[in-house]
Amino acid sequence: MTDAEDRKPRSDEARSAFSAPVGPTAPVDTESTTSEFAVPEGLALVGAGRAPTESETTSEFALPQGLDAPPHPPAETEGSAFNPPRTYQAKQAPSAFTPPSGIPALALHRDAPWQDRMRTMLRMPVTERPAPELVQRHDDDTGPAVPRVLDLTLRIGELLLAGGEGAEDVEGAMFAVCRSYGLDRCEPTVTFTLLSISHQPSLVEDPVTASRTVRRRGTDYTRLAAVYQLVDDLSDDETHISLEEAYRRLAEIRRNRHPYPTWVLNAASGLLAGSASVLVGGDLLVFVAAAVGAMLGDRLAWKCADRGLPEFYQFTVAAMPPAALGVALTLAHADVKASAVITGGLFALLPGRALVAGVQDGLTGFYITAAARLLEVLYFFTGIVIGVLVVLYFGVQLGAQLNPDAALGQSERPLWQIAASLTLSLAFAVLLQQERATVLLVTLNGGVAWVVYGAMSYAGDISPVASTAAAAGLVGLFGQLLSRYRFASALPYITAAIGPLLPGSATYFGLLAIAQNEVDAGLVSLSKAVALAMAIAIGVNLGSEISRMFLRVGSAEKRRAAKRTRGF
């Protein structure tokens, strides 16, 4: 054998184990040594156009066929999230990107009421809200604990919501308390019975959330004003109130007794009913009868409350004594207007405060709370209807001649009616437990409202619904101005002033018609009462919004409203 023949088997033995078998058409270089990392022979034919068979194994990292050719560009390419789009230019950046100069900071007016400033920031996106500038601190260098700040915020919101304040104002107060202690990224949420507040320290930390349920509700505008004063002091940059001091003041507010004793409230209830009876044409005897009936109903309602009966039954029981006195005077053939007696008693029971708050929540976008408040008003109104209807039904069966037309004749005594409207607003303010400093202002506001209503409805012969809406709008406007002047809530200046506008007579006429088997006429009258009630609520809210529209609203730009869908 030659030397070449001797080397041939040795070269075959030195060939790599990963080499592909040599085909008959591929010449083999017997003198070369194949590397372990070389591409096996025959695999290059796959890229040349031969499709791989099932027995051939393709690498996971090999490019599939066709990728070497440039693909057709899609209609809209989507790049990486970290790369700018192809159309982006630094000098002509689209509006979706932050401009080189940055987003201008929102300038808030220091002298604006805290309600407007907080409402403005609540209606802004979280990323655009200005950071809090002042942090109330303890004696040491550490700030207050976040759970304690959230607990204080919920307790303040509970007092405001239980006192009848609107959901938007409650959220504004809660937001103001959090920001006064330096908590940014706070989101308060208010429903009819549930309050919650969430604080997220940063985008990488877990949020802290707390909630509180409102179990009991009570009407005490003195306590409401004290809570507003506390929130105003917390929001003031020049007033430094520690967390412990805020808790102490809140405890004093909760412990404070009502400003008026029980006998004064009972007398105010009678004075309100008597004044309302004069508004619808009653005389001195009618005034006394309506006052006595309202005071009896008020005492019976307090007895039911002591026994633990729900408010629905309290309203039902309270509506019976005025109606019973009116029926009794009719059966005794007394020369009085029994309809005026019953109508005056209804004025002291109509839930005007809850109605205004419910419609206000609906108009400001809090639909769940608004629906719950209006459902509460419906239940109260149903209780009044049941109580009056039971008495009227038995009165009609006993032969009482109740004539709705006997209560008409309001336009003959304008001076008496103005005096009655002032007295009614005064009594209503006492029933709402208002501060004595606000009673005179709200009384004058109620008198102005009745003068406007009488001038439009009686002298101008305008629709009662339109006249009521205009007078209520004026009440809302004046109430908002007075609240801004005193940096307080607008409810003490509004709720009692709408007392003379409440639809007591329309409610009574509807119930009387139903008791006399005139269901169609009764439903028409009750529909008028509902329309008047809605006109009061919408007018009050519109007057408040008009005052905010033309006054400084807490920021350099207009207060943003929610953009709703319009038909789609």
Side-chain angles (χ1 to χ4, degrees):
M1 298 175 62
T2 62
D3 294 338
E5 291 176 350
D6 293 336
R7 289 194 300 268
K8 181 177 180 182
R10 289 194 296 269
S11 63
D12 292 337
E13 293 174 1
R15 183 170 292 133
S16 173
F18 296 96
S19 302
V22 180
T25 59
V28 180
D29 186 5
T30 58
E31 297 181 0
S32 61
T33 302
T34 306
S35 171
E36 295 181 357
F37 300 98
V39 179
E41 293 185 28
L43 291 184
L45 298 177
V46 177
R50 184 176 66 85
T53 61
E54 294 182 359
S55 61
E56 294 178 352
T57 303
T58 305
S59 173
E60 296 179 355
F61 303 99
L63 293 177
Q65 260 185 318
L67 286 185
D68 52 347
H72 295 285
E76 182 178 356
T77 60
E78 183 176 356
S80 173
F82 300 97
N83 296 329
R86 296 178 181 179
T87 58
Y88 174 76
Q89 296 180 3
K91 295 182 179 180
Q92 298 178 354
S95 58
F97 296 90
T98 303
S101 59
I103 299 177
L106 182 68
L108 298 177
H109 296 294
R110 297 295 182 184
D111 55 346
W114 63 265
Q115 299 97 315
D116 288 337
R117 289 188 280 117
M118 297 302 109
R119 190 183 292 109
T120 300
M121 285 188 285
L122 280 175
R123 295 190 177 188
M124 295 171 54
V126 179
T127 56
E128 297 182 12
R129 294 174 183 171
E133 300 177 0
L134 178 65
V135 179
Q136 307 282 355
R137 296 189 178 276
H138 293 278
D139 296 333
D140 52 4
D141 294 335
T142 61
V146 173
R148 295 197 66 195
V149 175
L150 298 184
D151 178 71
L152 175 67
T153 302
L154 290 174
R155 291 178 182 272
I156 290 177
E158 178 190 11
L159 287 179
L160 294 177
L161 188 62
E165 191 61 81
E168 186 179 29
D169 293 328
V170 175
E171 282 194 359
M174 295 171 64
F175 192 67
V177 175
C178 288
R179 288 184 64 86
S180 65
Y181 287 101
L183 298 187
D184 198 9
R185 296 181 178 273
C186 291
E187 288 296 334
T189 303
V190 176
T191 58
F192 184 58
T193 57
L194 181 64
L195 299 168
S196 64
I197 183 74
S198 177
H199 168 63
Q200 188 175 14
S202 65
L203 294 178
V204 296
E205 298 182 63
D206 295 333
V208 181
T209 304
S211 61
R212 194 174 184 88
T213 303
V214 179
R215 301 293 183 183
R216 297 183 61 184
R217 298 178 182 272
T219 304
D220 190 344
Y221 281 179
T222 300
R223 180 180 297 174
L224 186 69
V227 175
Y228 258 78
Q229 184 62 44
L230 174 60
V231 178
D232 183 61
D233 292 341
L234 290 174
S235 304
D236 190 3
D237 296 344
E238 299 178 357
T239 304
H240 300 277
I241 301 178
S242 64
L243 192 62
E244 289 75 14
E245 177 67 16
Y247 265 108
R248 185 190 64 79
R249 289 182 56 178
L250 187 63
E252 290 180 355
I253 293 173
R254 298 180 69 95
R255 287 195 303 265
N256 282 344
R257 299 178 59 86
H258 299 305
Y260 306 104
T262 304
W263 68 269
V264 174
L265 298 179
N266 193 15
S269 177
L271 184 62
L272 190 153
S275 303
S277 65
V278 175
L279 280 179
V280 293
D283 52 9
L284 181 60
L285 182 59
V286 171
F287 177 91
V288 174
V292 172
M295 287 189 290
L296 288 177
D298 182 69
R299 286 294 87 200
L300 288 177
W302 277 105
K303 293 296 183 181
C304 293
D306 293 338
R307 297 289 181 177
L309 288 178
E311 287 183 296
F312 175 84
Y313 301 105
Q314 297 177 26
F315 275 83
T316 302
V317 172
M320 289 183 176
L325 276 179
V327 172
L329 291 175
T330 303
L331 292 176
H333 301 287
D335 189 14
V336 295
K337 296 180 179 180
S339 299
V341 175
I342 302 175
T343 301
L346 292 179
F347 265 86
L349 299 176
L350 294 177
R353 173 182 57 87
L355 176 66
V356 171
V359 175
Q360 179 182 358
D361 289 340
L363 294 177
T364 52
F366 295 84
Y367 299 114
I368 297 178
T369 308
R373 289 185 188 272
L374 293 178
L375 185 61
E376 181 187 40
V377 172
L378 179 61
Y379 271 101
F380 291 164
F381 191 78
T382 304
I384 296 172
V385 167
I386 292 175
V388 176
L389 274 180
V390 169
V391 175
L392 292 181
Y393 177 77
F394 284 105
V396 172
Q397 297 300 320
L398 293 175
Q401 299 296 326
L402 298 173
N403 184 15
D405 297 333
L408 300 178
Q410 299 94 319
S411 59
E412 299 178 358
R413 302 178 303 170
L415 296 180
W416 280 98
Q417 291 170 357
I418 294 175
S421 65
L422 293 173
T423 307
L424 192 151
S425 300
L426 173 65
F428 207 170
V430 173
L431 286 176
L432 294 175
Q433 304 278 0
Q434 290 191 199
E435 290 181 300
R436 298 176 183 179
T438 64
V439 171
L440 178 60
L441 295 176
V442 72
T443 301
L444 295 177
N445 199 9
V448 172
W450 179 259
V451 169
V452 173
Y453 172 79
M456 295 181 63
S457 180
Y458 302 143
D461 198 15
I462 302 176
S463 170
V465 177
S467 303
T468 301
L474 197 62
V475 168
L477 178 62
F478 287 166
Q480 194 64 230
L481 293 177
L482 290 173
S483 67
R484 287 171 177 271
Y485 175 72
R486 293 179 175 267
F487 291 92
S489 173
L491 284 182
Y493 303 99
I494 291 177
T495 307
I498 65 174
L501 304 176
L502 293 176
S505 58
T507 303
Y508 167 69
F509 295 155
L511 298 180
L512 179 59
I514 293 176
Q516 293 177 345
N517 293 326
E518 298 177 3
V519 180
D520 294 338
L523 293 179
V524 170
S525 185
L526 289 179
S527 301
K528 179 182 177 181
V530 173
L532 291 174
M534 294 297 294
I536 293 172
I538 295 175
V540 167
N541 182 263
L542 182 61
S544 300
E545 293 297 330
I546 289 175
S547 67
R548 295 193 186 106
M549 185 183 304
F550 292 100
L551 294 177
R552 185 174 293 177
V553 295
S555 66
E557 58 182 16
K558 295 292 184 181
R559 184 183 65 156
R560 298 182 179 182
K563 294 181 179 179
R564 308 296 178 188
T565 57
R566 294 172 175 86
F568 56 88

